[in-house]
Each structure stands twice: as C-alpha cells, then as structure tokens.
Amino acid sequence: MLHQLRIYEIFERNKAAFHARFRDHAARIMARHGFKIVAMWETRSATRTEFAYILAWPDAETKAARWASFMADPEWTEIKRVTAIEHGDLVGAIEDRLMVLTDYSPRL
C-alpha cells in the first residue's frame, strides 16, 4: 500500500470557492475514478494557507492510471474552467509526495 500526500497552496480571497469545488466536485469525481481519500486538512503557516490530503493506492501503476483518467475527465476539465472564470486561480503551488510505510510504522 502506498500513500500520496498532496498539498495545495490556497488563497484567502477565494478559499471558500476552493473548498466548495473540492468538496462538491473533485472528491466526487475522484471517487468515480477509484481514488481513496484517507483524510483532508486545512493548514496555515505565517506565509500561506494550504489544503492537504492523503490518498491510498494499492501500487504506483494504479496511482498513475487513475490520476491520468481523472485529469482527462471532461466534467473535471469543465468545472476547473468555469471556476477559474468565476473565481480566478484557486490553487497556487502544489506539492506531491509518495509515502511508503517503514517496516516499523504502526499499520493504518
């Protein structure tokens, strides 16, 4: 089992729109493409607000295939286009990390 940590820089000016898009659209479409979202958080530092979430994958090949199908999904493409027109950019920098449990980690 692999876990993927995604961290998105989000903006205070349109944070509500970001959360609405992820909650109402992205998460639903991701589920349709076989994503397993483990948990989601909003975090803050002195310089930025972030949205972080963890995905669980059986293997790297499945992760790659499902991300490709999600990114090519016509509904997702249209939602991103419309929300960008209405609210501007909803996401700044994106961090993407693949996490593999150590042999001494408690199992999830």
Side-chain angles (χ1 to χ4, degrees):
M1 169 90 37
L2 303 174
H3 289 89
Q4 182 181 17
L5 171 62
R6 304 268 301 174
I7 303 170
Y8 299 165
E9 175 186 22
I10 59 176
F11 310 112
E12 288 296 323
R13 71 179 183 276
N14 57 14
K15 180 173 74 169
F18 169 83
H19 283 296
R21 182 174 80 178
F22 200 95
R23 179 190 62 241
D24 300 339
H25 303 291
R28 173 181 52 81
I29 297 168
M30 286 173 163
R32 187 169 67 217
H33 288 276
F35 284 53
K36 181 182 177 197
I37 298 174
V38 175
M40 297 172 266
W41 300 265
E42 183 176 302
T43 68
R44 284 194 187 94
S45 69
T47 59
R48 70 187 209 174
T49 302
E50 299 171 330
F51 173 75
Y53 64 107
I54 294 177
L55 300 165
W57 300 107
D59 53 58
E61 295 78 18
T62 301
K63 177 182 85 66
R66 292 184 183 168
W67 267 108
S69 68
F70 170 71
M71 295 306 287
D73 187 289
E75 182 184 6
W76 178 237
T77 301
E78 180 63 8
I79 288 166
K80 284 185 3 181
R81 186 187 73 75
V82 168
T83 55
I85 290 169
E86 292 175 0
H87 304 287
D89 291 333
L90 297 183
V91 175
I94 298 174
E95 296 178 37
D96 186 2
R97 300 179 188 151
L98 190 58
M99 302 184 300
V100 180
L101 285 172
T102 61
D103 61 354
Y104 53 88
S105 173
R107 297 297 174 207
L108 301 174

